[in-house]
Amino acid sequence: MAIRHDISAQPESVPRHEERFIASEELARLVMRTAGSHLQLAQDDRPYQWSTTVYCDTYDWKVYRAAEQGAALRLRFREYHRTRPEDAFTSARLWLELKEDVDDTSRKERFEIAGDLVPAFLRGEEILPPSANGLSARAGELVRDGARPVVVTQYNRLAYASPQDRIRVTADHNLIYLAVPWTSNHDGAIPARMGPILARETDVVIEMKWFDDLPSWAEELHGYLRQRAPEDRPSKFVVGMRHLLGEMPR
């Protein structure tokens, strides 16, 4: 059954570079001051609002295992609120995001959908239009394999970006990882209570994303981050799943 109504998409057909760093508050303030002197405040990520992202995986953890190997298609839902919610899928409109990661590059397709369509999508009903890059078809395969909500992140994001997001620098503060006890895909499954809390991030997660070559100021900033925070930072999905499954490195 197809329910393709009132859905808008924001595709990224060209892969973009993406790197993450874990930084102290002091380093994060320096990075964001530098980014803010060259870029505009991003429109989607309003400062101090809470971003809630619900990640899906199959019963055999297919997405997580692939992400650990450096290549995966992630299926997630994102909402924005003025105060931190305790339930997921409370919004009349939310974003369904399909993000393909391969090594240090990513492609993303973002659909704005009605919040009450989440169970229908997870039941396998065709609510998404076909995409040129094939991500929506692959997401349908994940749903048929049993993908359902498993882990949640919540954070406050500050983001600066150039036009068309050719360069984007973000800082995620107060990052929390939570479980989500999803039991079925019937319409009454939403809103879904989140919890328990799996972990809290004490530092700031910095992300740099860009197409093409970096301008000199951004290349210098990237090199500075590499010196001050040299350890490769996994995605928030991978870190959250490690906490969920008890696989955090000791």
Side-chain angles (χ1 to χ4, degrees), residues 16 38-43 160-168 209-212 217:
R16 69 177 178 180
H38 295 276
L39 304 172
Q40 297 294 316
L41 197 64
Q43 294 182 351
Y160 290 101
S162 63
Q164 289 82 51
D165 271 3
R166 305 305 296 180
I167 303 174
R168 184 175 176 86
K209 304 172 185 179
W210 69 94
F211 298 99
D212 309 319
W217 71 265

